[in-house]
Amino acid sequence: MQTFFETGLKPEILESIGKIGFVKPTPIQSKTIPFILDSDNDLIAMAQTGTGKTAAFGLPILSKLNINAKEIQSIILCPTRELCLQITQDLKVYSEFLPVSIVPVYGGAPIYQQITALKNKCHIVVGTPGRVNDLINRNKLDLSSVKFLVLDEADEMLKMGFRDEMDAILSQTPSTKQTLLFSATMPPDIAGMAGKYMHKAEKISVGRQNTAHENISHEFCVTKSEHCYQALRRLADINPDIYSIVFCRTRIETKEIADKLIADGYNADSIHGDLSQAQRDMVMNRFRNKHLQILVATDVAARGLDVDNLTHVIHFHLPDDQENYIHRSGRTGRAGRKGASIAIVSPGETRKLFFLEKQIGQKFIKKQVPSGEEVFEKRLSNFLQHVTSAEPQGYDLSKYMHIIESSLQSLSKEEIIKKFIAIEFNRFHADYQKAPDLNISATSERVATKRSINGSRREKFARYSINLGAKNNLKPDLLINIINRQTPDRKIAIGKIEIQQKVSFFEADIQHEKHLIQAFRRAKYKGMSLMVQPFQKK
Ligand code: ADP
Ligand code: MG
């Protein structure tokens, strides 16, 4: 996930994190945020200290809260008073533009103030296990409406001997809640605790390792982002017996693509987080029984689906990490059969492809988006194949020969063939007659060849974002200074600069891209961490 905008978080939350300068989700965030937004299943998430775990659970929980229901919907347990205050503070910042109330409760402070605070209803309680348990025992804290329970720094809480309190607190929460366990390490007692408190928990860690499958050909085609859907149609059309999952990034996109496919007459449907369990089961069953040929899904929604005999895995958007990619593509090429994993990428996404290539140790093969003519030929030969093997079933056509003969006697064999095909294909051909070529070359739209400032040679400029803007008093010459300061050992040609409120954009010579991004990894400006990222113009 490149930006928070793709996660499906509430706009008010995007606004607040934009304000504090979060540009890109950290790796753990890019995995947990969509999971928590899309799924009600429990989660065990592991990532080192300092990787942004508070926002990893805080943002999606804030997004999922029912603001109108003033009852405790979430309880967040953490080991210390400091952490409790820190989490509360962070959540308040993230929810600046939402009327969410959050109450911290912790030991070592007068309990009656906390009791008073709890009397004014709130949405979230952040607490240390000892004090939370105490408040429950005094009947001052009612956890019966909790939907999200977070165990933050679960390993630390166990180390500090909070096991009994945690047991007692958990027994006061409804069994329907979603339990989210965050930890920096995974000692055996955490695994034990997870087994006890959690059901079918998803495990997410920001580790790596895995390899891709052999019977799978990894393919991609490049088209403009506005043509991705048409390219998807062509792929479906040229593979009439397709049995495929089309992976999207967000549930909104998932719905959109499925709706279009259905409207265009495909045998398709979608699964995403908005469906009830019953609706989900129904769609999954139809897909399992092959009554559906195409299922559009997010990674998270597809998790629970035990189908791996797909003919094609289609990436409407590539995932950000190789684990999800391998997960997806591993659903084809099974049982000795060949399978294709096809990514439909826009020019800006091709770099992700090269990154994945390195990660999975396999080359992607560039394929053309089929032309209208190719699709037509394929459909025709497929249809004729079906014709040769078709037999009347359950009725005797000879009984009706008189009707057939009287209707067709004036037609020659060729004419009859033509007319049968016309019935089947006229509309199809009309659709495809004007079908444009959807291919474009793999060079990035982001890359523009321009004359450099001094005009002496042509530079290939690419566009980048930086998390500084007019709010930080950024001016073009200051930005150039900052870039030069971070990259003292080279002269990087800089092109157009566009300063916005909180972020800015600039063009720079693409041959220094790696160096440039690396150089900004630990860069600070007035105490703020800087981040430079490739940025594609929409
Ligand atoms: P952890 O709980 O994993 O130790 P924290 O949640 O305390 O980490 O976050 C560590 C720091 O990183 C905090 O200062 C937080 O504001 C910052 N941070 C979190 N997410 C992001 C992000 N996406 N971009 C920039 N900074 C972030
Ligand atoms: Mg933390």
Side-chain angles (χ1 to χ4, degrees):
M1 199 155 295
Q2 292 282 43
T3 70
F4 282 104
F5 289 96
E6 298 156 50
T7 54
L9 288 167
K10 277 193 183 157
E12 291 90 342
I13 291 175
L14 293 174
E15 192 179 350
S16 61
I17 56 182
K19 187 173 167 190
I20 54 176
F22 287 9
V23 178
K24 190 186 149 123
T26 65
I28 188 74
Q29 288 164 1
S30 69
K31 290 190 179 180
T32 60
I33 294 173
F35 176 83
I36 299 170
L37 286 178
D38 264 9
S39 169
D40 294 328
N41 287 345
D42 292 347
L43 171 70
I44 301 172
M46 200 173 68
Q48 284 181 331
T49 308
T51 50
K53 292 195 285 299
T54 312
F57 61 78
L59 301 177
I61 287 179
L62 287 168
S63 208
K64 274 173 106 175
L65 281 184
N66 176 3
I67 306 284
N68 299 324
K70 261 223 157 173
E71 53 190 19
I72 300 172
Q73 294 170 47
S74 179
I75 169 101
I76 297 167
L77 296 177
C78 61
T80 65
R81 165 203 164 109
E82 289 70 31
L83 197 55
C84 175
L85 289 168
Q86 183 65 52
I87 294 171
T88 306
Q89 174 58 25
D90 286 351
L91 295 182
K92 284 187 174 165
V93 170
Y94 304 151
S95 59
E96 183 185 343
F97 302 107
L98 283 172
V100 175
S101 65
I102 307 165
V103 173
V105 298
Y106 45 84
I111 197 165
Y112 60 84
Q113 284 175 358
Q114 295 173 1
I115 292 173
T116 314
L118 287 171
K119 275 196 187 130
N120 299 320
K121 302 263 182 244
C122 68
H123 298 101
I124 301 178
V125 171
V126 187
T128 51
R131 183 54 61 95
V132 168
N133 197 34
D134 199 353
L135 287 162
I136 291 174
N137 290 337
R138 294 173 189 229
N139 277 329
K140 301 297 180 197
L141 179 56
D142 173 14
L143 297 183
S144 61
S145 50
V146 162
K147 294 204 188 87
F148 316 104
L149 176 128
V150 179
L151 303 169
D152 191 27
E153 304 213 352
D155 48 353
E156 286 299 315
M157 288 198 283
L158 284 184
K159 261 194 230 159
M160 293 173 68
F162 280 133
R163 164 141 239 154
D164 291 346
E165 285 87 350
M166 288 160 76
D167 272 344
I169 296 165
L170 268 113
S171 71
Q172 298 296 312
T173 57
S175 59
T176 48
K177 70 183 175 296
Q178 182 175 31
T179 303
L180 308 166
L181 185 155
F182 282 76
S183 190
T185 64
M186 200 51 67
D189 44 352
I190 293 268
M193 189 164 86
K196 186 166 164 196
Y197 296 143
M198 301 165 87
H199 314 281
K200 287 199 278 179
E202 177 77 12
K203 292 198 181 73
I204 293 180
S205 70
V206 285
R208 32 194 58 207
Q209 274 322 304
N210 223 330
T211 54
H213 230 262
E214 285 175 3
N215 277 333
I216 306 169
S217 71
H218 300 272
E219 302 170 7
F220 72 103
C221 39
V222 186
T223 190
K224 284 189 179 163
S225 42
E226 66 263 33
H227 289 155
C228 284
Y229 173 71
Q230 289 307 328
L232 171 64
R233 284 192 61 181
R234 299 256 179 111
L235 291 174
D237 286 343
I238 203 159
N239 294 291
D241 299 319
I242 194 168
Y243 182 49
S244 175
I245 299 182
V246 175
F247 284 96
C248 294
R249 294 249 238 151
T250 62
R251 53 184 151 176
I252 298 161
E253 187 181 61
T254 305
K255 258 191 199 152
E256 226 174 71
I257 301 301
D259 287 349
K260 278 195 198 164
L261 284 171
I262 294 165
D264 287 327
Y266 295 86
N267 207 350
D269 210 333
S270 64
I271 45 172
H272 49 76
D274 284 350
L275 299 182
S276 71
Q277 190 59 43
Q279 290 171 315
R280 237 177 102 85
D281 288 348
M282 195 166 80
V283 176
M284 296 230 237
N285 272 331
R286 281 167 62 218
F287 188 60
R288 234 181 251 121
N289 302 334
K290 302 201 176 178
H291 293 153
L292 288 176
Q293 280 188 281
I294 300 175
L295 182 70
V296 190
T298 56
D299 287 294
V300 173
R303 284 281 158 77
L305 180 62
D306 53 347
V307 171
D308 59 14
N309 54 341
L310 303 177
T311 58
H312 297 77
V313 168
I314 297 180
H315 311 268
F316 197 77
H317 274 300
L318 279 170
D320 287 316
D321 52 73
Q322 99 274 24
E323 275 164 59
N324 268 335
Y325 180 81
I326 289 166
H327 223 158
R328 290 178 179 186
S329 57
R331 290 177 177 275
T332 185
R334 293 296 183 95
R337 279 193 292 268
K338 293 264 178 240
S341 168
I342 308 175
I344 302 172
V345 298
S346 59
E349 270 193 310
T350 50
R351 70 178 53 250
K352 205 183 264 177
L353 214 54
F354 302 134
F355 167 77
L356 276 174
E357 244 174 19
K358 278 199 212 107
Q359 300 279 311
I360 65 171
Q362 249 155 326
K363 272 255 172 252
F364 282 89
I365 307 158
K366 175 147 196 242
K367 293 276 166 118
Q368 296 290 307
V369 180
S371 69
E373 197 52 34
E374 282 170 300
V375 170
F376 187 79
E377 278 176 23
K378 182 68 195 270
R379 295 298 286 221
L380 182 60
S381 79
N382 190 267
F383 171 70
L384 295 175
Q385 240 170 41
H386 281 295
V387 168
T388 50
S389 59
E391 289 292 340
Q393 266 176 15
Y395 54 94
D396 181 5
L397 211 52
S398 63
K399 256 173 59 188
Y400 310 103
M401 242 22 222
H402 60 287
I403 304 178
I404 297 169
E405 271 165 16
S406 70
S407 311
L408 299 180
Q409 64 182 343
S410 63
L411 300 174
S412 70
K413 182 184 161 195
E414 281 76 37
E415 282 170 323
I416 291 174
I417 292 173
K418 255 198 238 161
K419 286 178 191 297
F420 269 99
I421 289 176
I423 287 173
E424 191 70 20
F425 281 96
N426 274 2
R427 235 194 76 198
F428 197 75
H429 193 257
D431 276 356
Y432 263 120
Q433 213 173 15
K434 298 181 289 293
D437 180 5
L438 298 181
N439 293 288
I440 37 173
S441 72
T443 51
S444 171
E445 270 176 352
R446 208 166 57 74
V447 178
T449 305
K450 287 194 189 146
R451 200 160 283 278
S452 67
I453 313 263
N454 63 17
S456 59
R457 75 184 175 91
R458 287 187 157 255
E459 322 275 355
K460 265 193 175 256
F461 279 120
R463 215 169 128 82
Y464 301 91
S465 68
I466 183 165
N467 57 336
L468 283 179
K471 282 212 151 148
N472 316 90
N473 294 323
L474 189 70
K475 304 252 160 48
D477 51 345
L478 176 59
L479 178 59
I480 293 172
N481 274 342
I482 292 174
I483 296 169
N484 287 343
R485 191 189 71 199
Q486 284 311 126
T487 56
D489 50 338
R490 15 195 123 181
K491 241 181 130 40
I492 300 181
I494 299 178
K496 224 191 286 163
I497 291 175
E498 186 189 334
I499 311 263
Q500 295 190 356
Q501 275 305 314
K502 297 169 202 160
V503 282
S504 302
F505 304 95
F506 62 92
E507 294 176 337
D509 188 346
I510 196 169
Q511 65 168 319
H512 298 295
E513 173 156 313
K514 239 173 107 183
H515 182 80
L516 179 74
I517 288 167
Q518 203 99 42
F520 272 89
R521 280 256 152 87
R522 278 192 197 78
K524 291 216 161 154
Y525 176 71
K526 293 192 177 162
M528 206 177 124
S529 294
L530 295 183
M531 190 153 0
V532 164
Q533 288 174 278
F535 189 87
Q536 155 137 40
K537 216 173 195 159
K538 277 270 173 269

